[in-house]
Amino acid sequence: MGFCTLAASVLLFAGCASVPPGTTSPATTTTPGATTSKASPAPSVFPDAPLSEIGVASTNLPAVVTLAAPTDLWDRIRRGFAMTDLDNELVRDREQWYATRPDYIQRMTERSSRYLFHIVEEIERRNMPMELALLPFIESAFNPQAVSSARAAGMWQFMPATGQSFDLKQNIFRDDRRDVLASTRAALDYLQQLHGRFGDWHLALAAYNWGQGNVNRAITRNQRAGLPTGYLDLSMPMETRMYVPKLQAVKNILARPEAFNTTLPLIGNHPFFDTVTLERDMDVAVIAQLAGVSEKDFRALNPSLNRPVVMAAGTPNILLPWDNAVVFQQNLQTFSGPLASWTAWVVPTTMTAAQAAARVGMSEAELREVNNIPPRMRVRAGSSLLVPRSQTRNGDVPLHVADNGHLSLQPEVTLRRSSVRARKGDTLSRLASRYGVSAVSVAGWNRLAINARLKPGQRITLMLPQRSAVASSRSAKKSVKVATRKKAVQKAGTRTAKARTPSKRAVTKVAASKKN
């Protein structure tokens, strides 16, 4: 408030207070018809009494909060940290592990630069702790193509069943567990759900890694035993026990990189990619050409696509580097060539790969390669195959095929369950090679990880072609017959030798007769 305004207020207040009770001020209006007398002069505003000294009052105002935008994305992430810190020996151990691997941190953080801004935006929009933006560092080192031995896939490492429950499509044309936008949405939905259930972010993270049912049972066990139920109090596998310490260690390093002798790559606080909507099916090669990017860079932003064509019905949105998205839109308007050279064909009846290839006018080798059809397998009716466009098959792939396309196979020969024993030094790959089957199939038949170690003598189940099994059986029977025949021959030879060799008694008789 200005000095003049303050003085005016004081004068007004003082004037009102100077009117004696029961008297009328000069400004007072009289009753209509009454006689008005001359008003007496108003008393002085400033009395003759001395004024009090001006004092200095102290104020405790809150500090001024800066509104400056974060200088880079790391700064923005640091400002959003909101979880309770974990501080124990496991955290120190993980800090040491990461700090002694600067090349690994460099690769991991550089890879994250494509996706991190979008994740940060989504976390802020949901008002969630920014530590969650660092979770893909722990899950996959920010590699959207990562696949675990337990078949978890993508940056956020969704298991197939969990992915399906969060509407992540998984078919022969795409795997949304690897999709940047879809998997991030599903992961944050899942984490919010887990936090709502357990009321604690550390327990929510444990459930994300171990499964909410396992965490719930561990909590119940501690409650029955009268024990605390915090993250550090529960009995859990070592992988889950180390899960939050890993995240805390990465958080500490990113919060104070200089303390760990670490240099973070600069990531600008702006979008890396833009979303482009497709109205027609398009080959990946055509998209890359029109956008001015390499196919490798395109697939790095669209890792869910595992075929050479993008189906607009199933994947209407693609991601392109920010500036290249504008280039793509401009070039698409003037492009006059064919947009797609591939389409999907639903197999009408069960047939061999050679028969299917002849139907669609391509070589058997190319059909097998494009659709990942292994040897000695027939394609069942209802399967969706990627085939070249032709005059009879020239339309875009419909939604029900793009979203639910599957490949169903059956062996060309009947398989028979067999059990074999692993030898010393055997691996699944070595054992599979010995019997002419796929290591992935052997892992599936025995519910083992592809890199599982085998103990000598361990029984392994194999599904071998009936012909091979019959041949093995015949070979075994033949071996038995040969062995039996050998034994018979040996026995017969022994008898003949005995018959030809004179007995002691006969030799004695002959000797006696010679003497006589």
Side-chain angles (χ1 to χ4, degrees), residues 411-465:
E412 292 181 355
V413 294
T414 305
L415 296 180
R416 178 180 175 181
R417 184 183 295 274
S418 302
S419 180
V420 299
R421 290 186 180 274
R423 301 173 185 172
K424 185 178 180 181
D426 262 353
T427 62
L428 284 184
S429 298
R430 186 177 297 176
L431 190 143
S433 176
R434 186 184 307 144
Y435 288 92
V437 293
S438 164
V440 175
S441 298
V442 177
W445 295 331
N446 294 273
R447 295 183 181 180
L448 295 172
I450 191 68
N451 57 350
R453 294 182 179 179
L454 302 181
K455 298 178 181 177
Q458 180 178 347
R459 285 193 171 276
I460 300 296
T461 297
L462 299 177
M463 301 299 291
L464 299 176

Side-chain angles (χ1 to χ4, degrees), residues 225-421:
L227 299 173
T229 57
Y231 173 79
L232 295 176
D233 305 306
L234 301 181
S235 176
M236 58 182 66
M238 182 53 67
E239 179 186 341
T240 309
R241 172 68 63 215
M242 297 293 292
Y243 194 65
V244 175
K246 284 182 182 179
L247 184 64
Q248 183 69 53
V250 171
K251 171 185 175 180
N252 293 346
I253 292 173
L254 297 186
R256 297 177 291 109
E258 66 284 349
F260 296 92
N261 197 26
T262 300
T263 302
L264 300 177
L266 177 64
I267 302 179
N269 187 22
H270 53 75
F272 182 88
F273 58 76
D274 195 10
T275 304
V276 176
T277 301
L278 298 184
E279 297 180 357
R280 297 288 308 277
D281 291 1
M282 292 186 68
D283 286 352
V284 170
V286 173
I287 296 174
Q289 174 192 342
L290 296 180
V293 299
S294 67
E295 289 190 34
K296 180 181 178 182
D297 288 341
F298 174 80
R299 292 193 180 279
L301 283 178
N302 301 272
S304 65
L305 305 174
N306 51 23
R307 291 293 185 266
V309 64
V310 181
M311 300 172 184
T315 312
N317 298 318
I318 59 170
L319 305 183
L320 290 171
W322 189 266
D323 294 334
N324 298 89
V326 178
V327 174
F328 172 80
Q329 297 282 24
Q330 293 172 346
N331 290 337
L332 181 60
Q333 293 176 359
T334 59
F335 185 71
S336 58
L339 295 177
S341 57
W342 298 92
T343 188
W345 174 57
V346 179
V347 180
T349 59
T350 300
M351 60 182 69
T352 65
Q355 291 170 332
R359 282 278 196 100
V360 298
M362 59 191 303
S363 69
E364 180 183 352
E366 186 181 14
L367 180 77
R368 288 184 181 278
E369 182 181 358
V370 172
N371 295 282
N372 295 326
I373 302 174
R376 300 191 300 275
M377 300 299 286
R378 294 162 60 90
V379 183
R380 285 181 172 171
S383 296
S384 299
L385 298 181
L386 203 64
V387 299
R389 291 199 176 202
S390 63
Q391 291 183 350
T392 56
R393 285 181 296 275
N394 197 33
D396 287 348
V397 180
L399 177 61
H400 70 277
V401 176
D403 266 356
N404 303 295
H406 66 281
L407 179 63
S408 181
L409 303 171
Q410 71 178 36
E412 292 181 355
V413 294
T414 305
L415 296 180
R416 178 180 175 181
R417 184 183 295 274
S418 302
S419 180
V420 299
R421 290 186 180 274

Side-chain angles (χ1 to χ4, degrees), residues 158 162 166 186-195 207-208 211-212:
F158 271 98
T162 309
F166 283 92
L188 298 183
D189 284 349
Y190 190 24
L191 287 164
Q192 280 185 316
Q193 181 188 102
L194 293 172
H195 182 258
Y208 188 89
Q212 52 185 323

Side-chain angles (χ1 to χ4, degrees), residues 81-88 91 131 202 244 248 251-252:
F81 286 157
M83 281 189 197
T84 303
D85 282 334
L86 190 67
D87 188 10
N88 58 21
V91 176
E131 286 90 340
H202 289 171
V244 175
Q248 183 69 53
K251 171 185 175 180
N252 293 346

